[in-house]
Amino acid sequence: MSKFLSEKLRALTPYTPGEQPQDMKYIKLNTNESPFAPERNVVKAAARAAKRLNLYSDPECKKLVSRLAETYGVKNENIIVTNGSDEVLNFAFMAFCDSENGAAAPDISYGFYPVFAAVNGVPFTKIPLKDDFTIDIKDYLGLNKTIFIANPNAPTGFALTLDQIEQILESNKETVVVIDEAYVDFGASSAVKLIEKYDNLLVTMTFSKSRSLAGGRLGFGIASKEIIRDLNTIRYSTNPYNVNSMTLAAGLATLKNEKKVRKNCETIIKNREYTANALRNLGFYLTDSKANFIFAKSDKIGGEELYLKLKARGVLVRHFKLPRIKDFVRITIGTKKQMDILIKTVEEIL
Ligand code: PMP
């Protein structure tokens, strides 16, 4: 740390992203990316956009916003486009959390929430999940804090129903409720249809998972026009060209492939159930994941040991050292072939 770092940031512990090793080729099941490469039209669109990189990107992201609005059945004014959904989440911490009541999220959830809170000076309350890692929605009723819930949750994969989300929205009308739908396309119900009814709802989504564009860094938020206006005020006050032109073009082209995206999701869901069954047959306990990953533990081997042994054999999964989940590994669902190698390698290790 330099002597120049601001007093208020000295205690900041940054988010630790999953490993992106460049040394050898792993079967990479650690950061919930899609195993399917972007379609040809997407790559071509990005390449065409590259020819105009001497110019700034469109700060209004007009074409992409319109296409997203059409895709999700909302108006252009209900959409903000960001550099990954991490950015819209950060904007939400900046915009909607006051320093008195602050923000709240489950104790086991996306590890970036407490970091966004810390970097923005927002008090952060962790609400423990139940022993089985499900959310007790009673804990969120009338909370009077800005609420962040990943649905499905990560790394547990459990999803709330829309009815449960509505109860939370209904009882927190004076604060914003952010539903982070990074993994919604793999089996949960989207809360987007509630934005007309609840002006305190912000839904965030990403192109990183179901739409095969993690490296493009593209996310978006859907909410009332007032919430979107506030988020845009922050966007224009930090980086109006937050999404580069190649990514804007790639995102737009991706939205022309919705059928293929859905088909890929169906394949992932099928591979998820296949892998879950195989691991259960090997004695693993798994949560009921509705995401593109599974969360599994064995009483024959600890989470860290399994992670290290898989890594030594070229299969990368994610292990978290948090005490409540240290026995688990989170495994991204890939192709059937990748899953067969994972299962075989686990068998050998056991
Ligand atoms: N929310 C959750 C729950 C996530 O797991 C992730 C991915 N790590 C994100 C948001 C952010 O994804 P991205 O910035 O790639 O859109």
Side-chain angles (χ1 to χ4, degrees):
M1 184 190 306
S2 81
K3 65 180 182 187
F4 308 108
L5 184 65
S6 161
E7 197 66 56
K8 56 182 192 287
L9 292 177
R10 286 183 174 238
L12 185 67
T13 310
Y15 175 68
T16 315
E19 297 167 86
Q20 304 294 349
Q22 313 291 327
D23 60 332
M24 66 174 256
K25 229 174 143 51
Y26 287 92
I27 301 215
K28 206 171 163 302
L29 308 176
N30 69 327
T31 45
N32 300 340
E33 292 139 323
S34 171
F36 308 114
E39 296 292 310
R40 267 163 60 103
N41 68 317
V42 175
V43 178
K44 276 191 179 164
R48 267 197 310 275
K51 292 186 187 150
R52 292 166 56 85
L53 278 178
N54 54 316
L55 305 178
Y56 283 110
S57 58
D58 172 16
E60 292 178 48
C61 310
K62 244 191 208 136
K63 286 185 191 156
L64 184 62
V65 164
S66 295
R67 187 81 194 207
L68 278 169
E70 217 176 280
T71 305
Y72 285 92
V74 297
K75 298 197 182 114
N76 288 17
E77 65 196 21
N78 300 120
I79 304 237
I80 180 171
V81 171
T82 55
N83 192 315
S85 57
D86 279 338
E87 188 175 51
V88 66
L89 289 165
N90 188 28
F91 288 170
F93 274 92
M94 286 178 169
F96 304 121
C97 302
D98 68 34
S99 54
E100 202 178 312
N101 297 319
D107 63 337
I108 313 278
S109 190
Y110 185 30
F112 223 142
Y113 301 151
V115 180
F116 287 138
V119 78
N120 290 302
V122 168
F124 187 74
T125 306
K126 289 185 180 179
I127 301 185
L129 293 177
K130 292 197 274 191
D131 287 345
D132 63 0
F133 294 145
T134 57
I135 286 175
D136 188 345
I137 64 149
K138 287 201 291 301
D139 294 336
Y140 295 82
L141 301 182
L143 200 57
N144 202 25
K145 296 178 192 299
T146 306
I147 296 170
F148 289 79
I149 292 180
N151 194 47
N153 197 10
T156 62
F158 282 117
L160 293 178
T161 63
L162 279 193
D163 178 56
Q164 290 174 309
I165 290 172
E166 254 200 283
Q167 288 182 54
I168 296 172
L169 287 162
E170 191 69 50
S171 74
N172 288 284
K173 291 226 161 128
E174 298 309 311
T175 54
V176 171
V177 176
V178 180
I179 302 296
D180 173 351
E181 296 191 352
Y183 301 105
V184 75
D185 296 332
F186 304 101
S189 305
S190 174
V192 164
K193 54 174 82 74
L194 300 177
I195 65 151
E196 263 190 44
K197 191 165 168 195
Y198 295 98
D199 65 359
N200 57 334
L201 170 63
L202 167 62
V203 177
T204 63
M205 293 195 194
T206 181
F207 279 67
S208 297
K209 316 294 176 185
S210 57
R211 292 192 171 107
S212 299
L213 225 54
R217 311 304 302 125
L218 187 59
F220 54 104
I222 306 184
S224 69
K225 82 169 183 222
E226 289 78 15
I227 282 188
I228 296 300
R229 201 180 292 140
D230 294 341
L231 292 168
N232 269 321
T233 299
I234 296 198
R235 189 169 73 88
Y236 278 91
S237 308
T238 49
N239 184 7
Y241 307 110
N242 58 333
V243 182
N244 73 73
S245 353
M246 289 184 295
T247 294
L248 285 177
L252 189 62
T254 301
L255 291 176
K256 294 177 180 153
N257 304 337
E258 283 297 276
K259 253 198 201 146
K260 185 70 196 325
V261 167
R262 268 199 300 279
K263 196 156 163 271
N264 286 346
C265 290
E266 280 161 22
T267 305
I268 295 293
I269 292 169
K270 208 164 78 196
N271 294 352
R272 178 181 74 207
E273 300 315 311
Y274 170 77
T275 312
N277 278 336
L279 291 183
R280 282 196 189 100
N281 288 338
L282 291 172
F284 277 80
Y285 163 77
L286 283 91
T287 57
D288 177 24
S289 174
K290 297 282 185 254
N292 68 340
F293 54 80
I294 48 178
F295 197 50
K297 77 167 174 179
S298 161
D299 49 19
K300 298 196 192 79
I301 186 165
E304 183 160 28
E305 189 183 355
L306 180 57
Y307 152 75
L308 288 171
K309 290 194 163 159
L310 280 169
K311 187 174 178 186
R313 288 163 178 78
V315 181
L316 208 52
V317 299
R318 187 96 192 250
H319 174 255
F320 300 92
K321 288 190 168 51
L322 291 176
R324 279 190 82 183
I325 54 171
K326 67 176 183 4
D327 296 335
F328 286 77
V329 289
R330 190 194 69 190
I331 304 168
T332 303
I333 301 301
T335 59
K336 170 86 168 21
K337 196 166 152 204
Q338 289 178 315
M339 294 295 101
D340 279 329
I341 295 172
L342 165 89
I343 294 159
K344 194 162 146 276
T345 314
V346 170
E347 250 172 326
E348 281 166 16
I349 293 169
L350 291 180

